[in-house]
Amino acid sequence: MATLTNKIRQYVGSEVDFTLDVKLQNDGQGDYIKEWNLDTAQPTQAQLDALETQADDYEFNLGQIAKRKDEYGSADQQMENIIENGLEAEQTRIQSIKDKYPKR
């Protein structure tokens, strides 16, 4: 189940500052929007619920990207691999990592 923050990101279509733009609160029964300071109209619960799949995919993709970054290594390591093995070898290595951790 996607988080409320990611449903809001999907609704707005961009990053949100959750200290200024939108303030969430949890009084023990789950997060809810306490304050909405964006020009975009505040979403209804039904609108947020409709974004569950997109927000789940977003969260899944964030995890896949993190796994990819771990395996890519640092920029220095990537450059070293290019110098030692050639650009094509590095491109092949990167593609194999992307195939291992596909995004939705």
Side-chain angles (χ1 to χ4, degrees):
M1 181 170 195
T3 63
L4 178 57
T5 56
N6 287 326
K7 289 179 187 179
I8 292 169
R9 285 183 180 105
Q10 296 304 303
Y11 175 77
V12 173
S14 65
E15 271 304 311
V16 175
D17 182 338
F18 287 97
T19 61
L20 298 173
D21 298 333
V22 177
K23 294 182 182 179
L24 303 180
Q25 188 162 325
N26 185 330
D27 297 328
Q29 296 186 4
D31 291 338
Y32 65 92
I33 298 169
K34 177 178 174 137
E35 194 174 312
W36 187 267
N37 299 313
L38 294 171
D39 292 336
T40 308
Q42 182 172 331
T44 64
Q45 189 60 49
Q47 288 172 310
L48 292 172
D49 290 345
L51 294 168
E52 182 74 34
T53 300
Q54 293 96 314
D56 277 338
D57 288 349
Y58 175 79
E59 291 175 4
F60 176 82
N61 290 342
L62 288 176
Q64 296 297 82
I65 290 167
K67 291 173 189 173
R68 288 179 180 185
K69 285 182 178 181
D70 283 345
E71 285 203 33
Y72 290 161
S74 69
D76 288 342
Q77 291 169 322
Q78 291 178 48
M79 285 302 296
E80 183 177 333
N81 192 41
I82 291 169
I83 291 167
E84 291 178 3
N85 302 305
L87 180 59
E88 275 189 39
E90 180 63 5
Q91 288 172 324
T92 300
R93 186 182 78 83
I94 294 296
Q95 189 57 54
S96 71
I97 293 168
K98 287 182 176 185
D99 293 343
K100 184 177 178 181
Y101 302 110
K103 295 191 293 184
R104 292 184 193 160

